[in-house]
Amino acid sequence: YTDLQKSIAEMYRVLRDKGKCVIIIGDTKYDKETLPTIERCIGYAKDAGFKLLRNVPKVSAGRFGLFRTERILFFQKLTS
């Protein structure tokens, strides 16, 4: 999660005020446990100063015909 948080902070730094960015992300499984990657991403973005504009589900086919849900997250940088 450290790299995710750093990446979001850098996106915030380089965007102009009211600039927008999109992140496509899915939850992660580790030792058969689902980790809340999507929720953490949204939290890190809000902490950095982004406003969540849209949260759109995206279904994708994974290995062995399994489907997983990812999210397309639309953010806007609030004015500093």
Side-chain angles (χ1 to χ4, degrees):
Y1 291 123
T2 301
D3 288 339
L4 177 61
Q5 190 172 22
K6 287 179 181 178
S7 298
I8 291 170
E10 183 65 7
M11 286 183 239
Y12 186 84
R13 187 187 72 78
V14 300
L15 277 174
R16 293 184 176 135
D17 285 347
K18 298 185 181 180
K20 296 177 183 174
C21 71
V22 176
I23 300 173
I24 301 172
I25 193 163
D27 283 332
T28 305
K29 284 199 176 197
Y30 181 76
D31 265 347
K32 298 181 181 179
E33 181 182 340
T34 301
L35 304 176
T37 308
I38 296 168
E39 288 80 15
R40 287 212 182 187
C41 180
I42 293 170
Y44 293 151
K46 287 181 178 180
D47 290 346
F50 282 107
K51 175 184 176 184
L52 179 64
L53 299 176
R54 291 188 68 198
N55 182 344
V56 180
K58 175 185 176 286
V59 178
S60 61
R63 295 182 304 178
F64 312 111
L66 299 174
F67 287 93
R68 64 180 256 180
T69 301
E70 297 176 327
R71 298 304 230 171
I72 306 170
L73 306 174
F74 295 82
F75 293 102
Q76 183 172 26
K77 180 178 178 178
L78 301 176
T79 55
S80 39

